[in-house]
Coordinates of all heavy atoms in Angstrom, one line a residue:
M1 N -68.4 12.1 99.4 CA -69.4 11.0 99.5 C -69.5 10.7 101.0 O -68.7 11.0 101.8 CB -68.8 9.8 98.8 CG -68.6 10.0 97.3 SD -70.2 10.3 96.6 CE -69.8 11.2 95.1
F2 N -70.6 10.0 101.2 CA -70.9 9.6 102.6 C -70.4 8.3 102.9 O -70.5 7.3 102.1 CB -72.4 9.7 102.8 CG -73.0 11.0 102.6 CD1 -73.7 11.4 101.5 CD2 -72.9 12.0 103.6 CE1 -74.3 12.6 101.4 CE2 -73.4 13.2 103.5 CZ -74.1 13.5 102.4
D3 N -69.7 8.1 104.0 CA -69.3 6.8 104.5 C -70.4 6.2 105.2 O -71.0 6.7 106.1 CB -68.1 6.9 105.4 CG -66.8 7.3 104.8 OD1 -66.7 7.0 103.5 OD2 -65.9 7.8 105.4
T4 N -70.8 5.0 104.8 CA -71.8 4.2 105.5 C -71.1 3.2 106.4 O -70.1 2.6 106.0 CB -72.7 3.5 104.5 OG1 -72.0 2.6 103.7 CG2 -73.5 4.5 103.6
Q5 N -71.6 3.1 107.6 CA -71.0 2.2 108.6 C -72.0 1.0 108.6 O -73.2 1.1 108.7 CB -70.9 2.8 109.8 CG -69.8 3.9 109.9 CD -69.6 4.4 111.3 OE1 -70.1 3.9 112.3 NE2 -68.7 5.3 111.4
Q6 N -71.3 -0.2 108.6 CA -72.1 -1.4 108.9 C -71.5 -2.1 110.1 O -70.4 -2.0 110.5 CB -71.9 -2.4 107.7 CG -72.5 -1.8 106.4 CD -72.2 -2.8 105.3 OE1 -71.2 -3.5 105.3 NE2 -73.1 -2.9 104.3
S7 N -72.4 -2.9 110.7 CA -72.1 -3.6 111.9 C -71.7 -5.0 111.5 O -72.4 -5.7 110.7 CB -73.2 -3.6 112.9 OG -72.8 -4.4 114.0
L8 N -70.5 -5.4 111.9 CA -70.0 -6.8 111.6 C -70.0 -7.7 112.8 O -69.7 -7.2 113.9 CB -68.6 -6.7 111.0 CG -68.4 -6.0 109.6 CD1 -67.0 -6.0 109.3 CD2 -69.2 -6.7 108.6
D9 N -70.3 -8.9 112.7 CA -70.4 -9.8 113.8 C -69.1 -10.7 113.6 O -69.2 -11.7 112.8 CB -71.7 -10.6 113.8 CG -71.7 -11.5 115.0 OD1 -71.1 -11.2 116.0 OD2 -72.4 -12.6 114.9
I10 N -68.1 -10.3 114.3 CA -66.9 -11.2 114.2 C -66.4 -11.5 115.6 O -66.6 -10.7 116.5 CB -65.7 -10.4 113.5 CG1 -65.4 -9.1 114.0 CG2 -66.1 -10.3 112.0 CD1 -64.2 -8.4 113.4
S11 N -65.8 -12.6 115.7 CA -65.3 -13.1 117.0 C -64.1 -12.3 117.5 O -63.4 -11.7 116.7 CB -65.2 -14.6 117.0 OG -64.0 -14.9 116.3
C12 N -63.8 -12.5 118.8 CA -62.6 -11.9 119.3 C -61.3 -12.5 118.6 O -60.4 -11.7 118.2 CB -62.5 -12.2 120.8 SG -62.0 -10.8 121.8
A13 N -61.3 -13.7 118.4 CA -60.2 -14.4 117.7 C -60.0 -13.9 116.3 O -58.9 -13.7 115.8 CB -60.4 -15.9 117.7
E14 N -61.1 -13.7 115.6 CA -61.1 -13.2 114.2 C -60.6 -11.8 114.2 O -59.8 -11.4 113.3 CB -62.5 -13.3 113.6 CG -63.0 -14.7 113.3 CD -64.4 -14.7 112.9 OE1 -65.2 -13.9 113.3 OE2 -64.8 -15.6 112.2
L15 N -61.0 -11.0 115.1 CA -60.5 -9.6 115.3 C -59.0 -9.6 115.5 O -58.2 -8.7 115.0 CB -61.2 -8.9 116.3 CG -60.9 -7.4 116.5 CD1 -61.2 -6.6 115.2 CD2 -61.7 -6.8 117.6
E16 N -58.5 -10.5 116.3 CA -57.1 -10.6 116.6 C -56.3 -10.9 115.3 O -55.2 -10.4 115.1 CB -56.8 -11.6 117.7 CG -57.2 -11.1 119.1 CD -57.0 -12.2 120.1 OE1 -56.4 -13.2 119.8 OE2 -57.6 -12.0 121.2
V17 N -56.8 -11.8 114.5 CA -56.2 -12.2 113.3 C -56.2 -11.0 112.3 O -55.1 -10.7 111.7 CB -56.9 -13.4 112.6 CG1 -56.4 -13.7 111.2 CG2 -56.7 -14.7 113.5
I18 N -57.2 -10.3 112.2 CA -57.3 -9.1 111.3 C -56.3 -8.1 111.8 O -55.6 -7.5 111.0 CB -58.7 -8.5 111.3 CG1 -59.6 -9.5 110.6 CG2 -58.7 -7.2 110.6 CD1 -61.1 -9.2 110.8
E19 N -56.2 -7.8 113.1 CA -55.4 -6.8 113.7 C -53.9 -7.2 113.4 O -53.1 -6.4 113.0 CB -55.6 -6.7 115.2 CG -54.9 -5.5 115.8 CD -55.2 -5.4 117.3 OE1 -55.9 -6.2 117.8 OE2 -54.8 -4.3 117.8
A20 N -53.6 -8.5 113.6 CA -52.2 -8.9 113.3 C -51.8 -8.8 111.9 O -50.7 -8.4 111.5 CB -52.0 -10.4 113.8
A21 N -52.8 -9.1 111.0 CA -52.5 -9.0 109.6 C -52.3 -7.5 109.2 O -51.4 -7.2 108.4 CB -53.6 -9.6 108.8
L22 N -53.0 -6.6 109.8 CA -52.9 -5.2 109.5 C -51.5 -4.7 110.1 O -50.9 -3.8 109.4 CB -54.0 -4.4 110.1 CG -55.3 -4.5 109.4 CD1 -56.4 -3.8 110.1 CD2 -55.2 -4.0 108.0
H23 N -51.1 -5.1 111.2 CA -49.8 -4.8 111.7 C -48.7 -5.3 110.8 O -47.7 -4.5 110.4 CB -49.5 -5.4 113.1 CG -50.1 -4.6 114.2 ND1 -49.7 -3.4 114.6 CD2 -51.2 -5.0 115.0 CE1 -50.4 -3.0 115.6 NE2 -51.3 -3.9 115.8
T24 N -48.8 -6.5 110.2 CA -47.8 -7.0 109.2 C -47.8 -6.1 108.0 O -46.8 -5.7 107.4 CB -48.1 -8.4 108.9 OG1 -48.1 -9.2 110.1 CG2 -47.1 -9.0 107.9
Q25 N -49.1 -5.8 107.5 CA -49.2 -4.9 106.4 C -48.6 -3.6 106.5 O -48.0 -3.1 105.6 CB -50.7 -4.9 105.9 CG -50.9 -4.1 104.7 CD -50.5 -4.8 103.4 OE1 -50.3 -6.0 103.4 NE2 -50.1 -4.0 102.4
S26 N -48.8 -3.0 107.7 CA -48.2 -1.6 108.0 C -46.7 -1.7 107.9 O -46.1 -0.8 107.5 CB -48.7 -1.1 109.3 OG -48.1 -1.7 110.4
K27 N -46.1 -2.9 108.5 CA -44.6 -2.9 108.3 C -44.1 -3.0 106.9 O -43.1 -2.3 106.6 CB -44.1 -4.2 109.1 CG -44.4 -4.0 110.6 CD -43.9 -5.3 111.3 CE -44.3 -5.2 112.8 NZ -44.0 -6.4 113.5
I28 N -44.8 -3.8 106.1 CA -44.4 -3.9 104.7 C -44.5 -2.5 104.0 O -43.7 -2.1 103.2 CB -45.3 -4.9 104.0 CG1 -45.0 -6.3 104.5 CG2 -45.2 -4.9 102.5 CD1 -46.0 -7.4 104.1
L29 N -45.7 -1.8 104.2 CA -45.9 -0.6 103.6 C -45.0 0.5 104.1 O -44.6 1.4 103.3 CB -47.4 -0.1 103.9 CG -48.4 -0.9 103.1 CD1 -49.8 -0.6 103.6 CD2 -48.4 -0.6 101.6
N30 N -44.5 0.4 105.3 CA -43.6 1.3 105.8 C -42.2 1.2 105.1 O -41.6 2.2 104.8 CB -43.4 1.1 107.4 CG -42.6 2.2 108.0 OD1 -42.7 3.4 107.6 ND2 -42.0 1.9 109.2
V31 N -41.8 0.0 104.9 CA -40.6 -0.3 104.1 C -40.7 0.3 102.7 O -39.8 1.0 102.2 CB -40.2 -1.8 104.1 CG1 -39.1 -2.0 103.1 CG2 -39.9 -2.2 105.5
Q32 N -41.8 0.1 102.1 CA -42.1 0.5 100.7 C -42.1 2.1 100.7 O -41.6 2.7 99.7 CB -43.4 0.0 100.1 CG -43.3 -1.5 99.9 CD -44.6 -2.1 99.4 OE1 -45.7 -1.5 99.6 NE2 -44.6 -3.3 98.9
A33 N -42.7 2.6 101.7 CA -42.8 4.1 101.7 C -41.4 4.8 101.9 O -41.1 5.8 101.4 CB -43.8 4.5 102.9
R34 N -40.6 4.1 102.7 CA -39.2 4.6 102.9 C -38.4 4.6 101.7 O -37.5 5.4 101.4 CB -38.5 3.8 104.0 CG -38.9 4.2 105.4 CD -37.9 3.5 106.3 NE -38.6 3.2 107.6 CZ -38.3 2.3 108.4 NH1 -37.2 1.5 108.2 NH2 -39.0 2.0 109.5
A35 N -38.8 3.6 100.8 CA -38.1 3.5 99.5 C -38.6 4.5 98.5 O -38.1 4.5 97.3 CB -38.2 2.1 99.0
G36 N -39.5 5.3 98.9 CA -40.0 6.4 98.0 C -41.3 6.1 97.4 O -41.7 6.8 96.5
G37 N -42.0 5.2 97.9 CA -43.4 4.9 97.3 C -44.5 5.8 97.9 O -44.9 5.6 99.0
S38 N -44.9 6.8 97.2 CA -45.9 7.7 97.6 C -47.3 7.0 97.8 O -48.1 7.2 98.7 CB -46.1 8.9 96.7 OG -46.4 8.4 95.4
E39 N -47.5 6.0 96.9 CA -48.8 5.2 96.9 C -48.7 4.4 98.2 O -49.8 4.2 98.9 CB -48.8 4.3 95.7 CG -50.1 3.5 95.6 CD -51.2 4.2 94.9 OE1 -50.9 5.2 94.1 OE2 -52.4 3.8 95.0
A40 N -47.5 3.8 98.6 CA -47.5 3.1 99.8 C -47.7 3.9 101.1 O -48.3 3.4 102.0 CB -46.0 2.4 99.8
R41 N -47.2 5.2 101.0 CA -47.4 6.0 102.1 C -48.9 6.3 102.4 O -49.4 6.3 103.5 CB -46.7 7.4 101.9 CG -46.9 8.4 102.9 CD -46.4 8.1 104.3 NE -45.1 7.8 104.4 CZ -44.4 7.2 105.4 NH1 -45.1 7.0 106.5 NH2 -43.2 6.9 105.4
L42 N -49.7 6.5 101.3 CA -51.1 6.7 101.4 C -51.8 5.5 102.0 O -52.6 5.6 102.9 CB -51.7 7.1 100.0 CG -51.3 8.4 99.4 CD1 -51.8 8.5 98.0 CD2 -51.7 9.5 100.2
R43 N -51.4 4.4 101.5 CA -52.0 3.1 101.9 C -51.6 2.8 103.4 O -52.5 2.4 104.2 CB -51.6 1.9 101.1 CG -52.2 0.6 101.4 CD -53.7 0.7 100.9 NE -54.2 -0.7 101.2 CZ -55.4 -0.9 101.4 NH1 -56.3 0.1 101.3 NH2 -55.9 -2.1 101.6
L44 N -50.4 3.1 103.8 CA -50.0 3.0 105.1 C -50.8 3.8 106.1 O -51.2 3.4 107.1 CB -48.4 3.4 105.3 CG -47.9 3.4 106.7 CD1 -47.9 2.0 107.3 CD2 -46.4 3.8 106.6
N45 N -51.1 5.1 105.7 CA -51.9 5.9 106.5 C -53.3 5.4 106.7 O -53.9 5.4 107.8 CB -52.0 7.4 105.9 CG -50.6 8.1 106.1 OD1 -49.8 7.8 106.9 ND2 -50.4 9.0 105.2
E46 N -53.8 4.7 105.7 CA -55.1 4.1 105.8 C -55.1 3.0 106.7 O -56.0 2.8 107.5 CB -55.7 3.7 104.4 CG -55.9 4.7 103.4 CD -56.3 4.2 102.0 OE1 -56.4 2.9 101.9 OE2 -56.4 5.0 101.1
V47 N -54.1 2.1 106.6 CA -54.0 1.0 107.5 C -53.8 1.4 108.9 O -54.5 0.9 109.9 CB -52.8 0.1 107.1 CG1 -52.5 -1.0 108.1 CG2 -53.1 -0.6 105.7
K48 N -53.0 2.5 109.2 CA -52.9 3.0 110.5 C -54.2 3.6 111.1 O -54.5 3.3 112.3 CB -51.8 4.1 110.6 CG -50.4 3.5 110.4 CD -49.4 4.6 110.5 CE -48.0 4.1 110.6 NZ -47.0 5.2 110.7
R49 N -55.0 4.2 110.2 CA -56.3 4.6 110.7 C -57.2 3.5 111.1 O -57.8 3.6 112.1 CB -56.9 5.5 109.6 CG -56.5 7.0 109.6 CD -57.4 7.8 108.8 NE -57.4 7.5 107.3 CZ -56.5 7.9 106.5 NH1 -55.6 8.8 106.9 NH2 -56.5 7.6 105.3
V50 N -57.2 2.5 110.3 CA -58.0 1.3 110.7 C -57.6 0.6 112.0 O -58.4 0.3 112.8 CB -58.0 0.3 109.5 CG1 -58.7 -1.0 109.9 CG2 -58.7 0.9 108.2
L51 N -56.2 0.5 112.1 CA -55.7 -0.1 113.4 C -56.1 0.8 114.5 O -56.5 0.3 115.6 CB -54.2 -0.2 113.3 CG -53.7 -1.4 112.6 CD1 -52.2 -1.3 112.3 CD2 -54.0 -2.7 113.3
A52 N -56.0 2.1 114.4 CA -56.4 3.0 115.5 C -57.9 2.8 115.9 O -58.3 2.8 117.0 CB -56.1 4.4 115.2
R53 N -58.8 2.6 114.8 CA -60.2 2.5 115.1 C -60.5 1.1 115.8 O -61.3 1.1 116.7 CB -61.0 2.5 113.8 CG -61.1 4.0 113.3 CD -62.2 4.1 112.2 NE -63.5 3.8 112.8 CZ -64.6 3.7 112.0 NH1 -64.5 3.7 110.8 NH2 -65.7 3.4 112.6
I54 N -59.7 0.1 115.4 CA -59.9 -1.2 116.0 C -59.6 -1.1 117.5 O -60.3 -1.6 118.4 CB -59.1 -2.3 115.4 CG1 -59.7 -2.7 114.0 CG2 -59.0 -3.5 116.2 CD1 -58.8 -3.6 113.1
T55 N -58.4 -0.5 117.8 CA -58.0 -0.3 119.1 C -59.0 0.5 120.0 O -59.4 0.2 121.1 CB -56.6 0.4 119.2 OG1 -55.7 -0.4 118.4 CG2 -56.1 0.6 120.6
Q56 N -59.4 1.6 119.4 CA -60.5 2.5 120.0 C -61.7 1.7 120.3 O -62.3 1.8 121.3 CB -60.7 3.7 119.2 CG -61.7 4.6 119.8 CD -62.0 5.8 118.9 OE1 -61.9 5.7 117.6 NE2 -62.4 6.9 119.4
Q57 N -62.2 1.0 119.3 CA -63.4 0.2 119.5 C -63.3 -0.9 120.5 O -64.3 -1.1 121.3 CB -63.8 -0.4 118.1 CG -65.3 -0.9 118.1 CD -66.3 0.2 118.1 OE1 -66.0 1.3 117.6 NE2 -67.4 0.0 118.6
K58 N -62.2 -1.5 120.6 CA -62.0 -2.5 121.6 C -62.0 -1.9 123.1 O -62.6 -2.5 123.9 CB -60.7 -3.3 121.4 CG -60.8 -4.2 120.3 CD -59.4 -4.9 119.8 CE -58.4 -5.2 120.9 NZ -57.2 -5.9 120.4
T59 N -61.5 -0.7 123.2 CA -61.5 -0.1 124.5 C -62.9 0.5 124.9 O -63.3 0.4 126.0 CB -60.4 1.0 124.7 OG1 -60.6 2.0 123.6 CG2 -59.0 0.4 124.6
I60 N -63.6 0.9 123.9 CA -64.9 1.5 124.1 C -65.9 0.3 124.5 O -66.6 0.4 125.4 CB -65.5 2.1 122.8 CG1 -64.8 3.5 122.6 CG2 -67.0 2.4 122.9 CD1 -65.1 4.2 121.3
E61 N -65.8 -0.8 123.8 CA -66.7 -1.9 124.1 C -66.2 -2.7 125.3 O -67.0 -3.6 125.7 CB -66.8 -2.8 122.8 CG -67.5 -2.2 121.7 CD -67.7 -3.0 120.5 OE1 -67.2 -4.2 120.5 OE2 -68.2 -2.6 119.4
G62 N -65.0 -2.4 125.7 CA -64.5 -3.1 126.9 C -64.3 -4.6 126.7 O -64.3 -5.4 127.6
R63 N -64.0 -4.9 125.4 CA -63.7 -6.3 125.1 C -62.3 -6.7 125.7 O -61.4 -6.0 125.6 CB -63.6 -6.5 123.6 CG -64.9 -6.4 122.8 CD -64.6 -6.7 121.4 NE -65.9 -6.7 120.7 CZ -66.0 -6.9 119.4 NH1 -64.9 -7.1 118.6 NH2 -67.1 -6.8 118.8
P64 N -62.3 -7.9 126.3 CA -61.0 -8.4 126.9 C -60.2 -9.1 125.8 O -59.7 -10.1 126.0 CB -61.5 -9.4 128.0 CG -62.8 -9.9 127.4 CD -63.4 -8.7 126.7
C65 N -60.2 -8.5 124.6 CA -59.5 -9.1 123.5 C -58.0 -8.6 123.5 O -57.8 -7.7 122.8 CB -60.1 -8.8 122.1 SG -61.7 -9.5 121.9
G66 N -57.2 -9.3 124.2 CA -55.8 -8.9 124.1 C -55.3 -9.6 122.8 O -56.0 -10.4 122.2
R67 N -54.0 -9.4 122.5 CA -53.4 -10.0 121.4 C -52.7 -11.2 121.9 O -51.6 -11.5 121.5 CB -52.5 -9.0 120.7 CG -53.3 -8.0 120.0 CD -52.4 -7.0 119.2 NE -51.6 -7.7 118.3 CZ -50.4 -7.3 117.8 NH1 -50.0 -6.1 118.3 NH2 -49.7 -8.0 117.0
S68 N -53.3 -12.0 122.9 CA -52.6 -13.1 123.5 C -52.2 -14.2 122.4 O -51.2 -14.8 122.6 CB -53.5 -13.7 124.5 OG -54.7 -14.1 124.0
L69 N -53.0 -14.4 121.4 CA -52.7 -15.3 120.4 C -51.4 -15.0 119.7 O -50.6 -15.9 119.3 CB -53.9 -15.4 119.4 CG -53.7 -16.5 118.3 CD1 -53.7 -17.9 118.8 CD2 -54.9 -16.3 117.3
F70 N -51.1 -13.8 119.5 CA -50.0 -13.4 118.7 C -48.9 -12.8 119.6 O -47.9 -12.2 119.1 CB -50.4 -12.5 117.6 CG -51.2 -13.1 116.6 CD1 -52.7 -12.9 116.6 CD2 -50.7 -14.0 115.7 CE1 -53.4 -13.6 115.7 CE2 -51.5 -14.7 114.7 CZ -52.9 -14.4 114.7
S71 N -49.1 -12.7 120.8 CA -48.1 -12.1 121.8 C -46.8 -12.8 121.6 O -45.7 -12.1 121.7 CB -48.6 -12.1 123.1 OG -48.7 -13.4 123.7
W72 N -46.7 -14.0 121.5 CA -45.3 -14.7 121.3 C -44.7 -14.3 120.0 O -43.4 -14.1 120.0 CB -45.5 -16.2 121.3 CG -46.4 -16.7 120.1 CD1 -47.7 -16.9 120.1 CD2 -46.0 -17.0 118.9 NE1 -48.1 -17.3 118.9 CE2 -47.1 -17.4 118.1 CE3 -44.7 -17.1 118.2 CZ2 -47.0 -17.8 116.7 CZ3 -44.6 -17.4 116.9 CH2 -45.7 -17.8 116.2
F73 N -45.4 -14.0 119.0 CA -44.9 -13.6 117.7 C -44.2 -12.2 117.8 O -43.1 -11.9 117.4 CB -45.9 -13.5 116.6 CG -45.5 -13.1 115.3 CD1 -44.6 -14.0 114.5 CD2 -45.7 -11.9 114.8 CE1 -44.2 -13.6 113.2 CE2 -45.3 -11.5 113.5 CZ -44.5 -12.3 112.8
G74 N -44.9 -11.2 118.5 CA -44.4 -9.9 118.7 C -43.2 -9.9 119.5 O -42.2 -9.2 119.2
K75 N -43.1 -10.7 120.5 CA -41.9 -10.8 121.4 C -40.7 -11.4 120.6 O -39.6 -10.9 120.8 CB -42.2 -11.6 122.6 CG -43.1 -10.9 123.5 CD -43.5 -11.8 124.8 CE -44.5 -11.1 125.6 NZ -45.0 -11.9 126.6
S76 N -41.0 -12.4 119.8 CA -39.9 -13.0 119.0 C -39.3 -12.0 118.0 O -38.2 -12.0 117.7 CB -40.3 -14.3 118.4 OG -41.3 -14.1 117.4
R77 N -40.2 -11.2 117.4 CA -39.8 -10.2 116.4 C -39.0 -9.2 117.0 O -38.1 -8.6 116.4 CB -41.0 -9.7 115.6 CG -41.8 -10.7 114.9 CD -41.1 -11.2 113.7 NE -41.0 -10.2 112.7 CZ -40.1 -10.3 111.7 NH1 -39.3 -11.3 111.6 NH2 -40.0 -9.4 110.8
V78 N -39.3 -8.7 118.2 CA -38.6 -7.6 118.9 C -37.2 -8.1 119.3 O -36.2 -7.4 119.1 CB -39.4 -7.2 120.1 CG1 -38.6 -6.2 121.0 CG2 -40.7 -6.5 119.8
S79 N -37.1 -9.4 119.7 CA -35.8 -9.8 120.1 C -34.9 -10.2 119.0 O -33.7 -10.3 119.1 CB -35.9 -11.0 121.0 OG -36.6 -12.1 120.4
A80 N -35.4 -10.4 117.8 CA -34.7 -10.7 116.7 C -33.8 -9.6 116.1 O -34.0 -8.5 116.3 CB -35.6 -11.3 115.5

């Protein structure tokens, strides 16, 4: 089947929220996949592909959208 692409108008802040949610989802799916969930592994691969596209799109468009809103969260999780 053909993938159709649509253009979405979302703000930088909304994109950061989506990206953070996908990172959280990938962590959950990673744990499930390690426990032997083949369905979770497939879904994890999909989430990783979407995250890669978001990152790629942000660099192509030159958006200054850092993850500044959630940077404190990532640092606290790393130190925990």
Side-chain angles (χ1 to χ4, degrees):
M1 298 295 156
F2 297 104
D3 286 335
T4 58
Q5 293 186 1
Q6 294 180 329
S7 180
L8 295 175
D9 184 27
I10 57 176
S11 71
C12 223
E14 291 169 330
L15 185 60
E16 289 176 10
V17 170
I18 293 168
E19 189 176 9
L22 287 172
H23 278 290
T24 301
Q25 183 68 24
S26 71
K27 291 176 185 178
I28 293 167
L29 289 169
N30 195 26
V31 170
Q32 291 175 344
R34 281 192 214 153
S38 59
E39 185 91 16
R41 176 61 59 191
L42 293 173
R43 186 74 176 151
L44 176 61
N45 290 335
E46 291 175 9
V47 169
K48 285 182 176 181
R49 274 193 296 275
V50 172
L51 279 169
R53 285 196 65 192
I54 289 173
T55 302
Q56 181 183 26
Q57 194 68 30
K58 282 172 36 177
T59 55
I60 287 173
E61 292 180 4
R63 289 185 179 176
C65 290
R67 292 181 55 206
S68 59
L69 180 62
F70 295 101
S71 63
W72 62 268
F73 180 72
K75 290 177 184 173
S76 67
R77 299 291 291 162
V78 170
S79 63

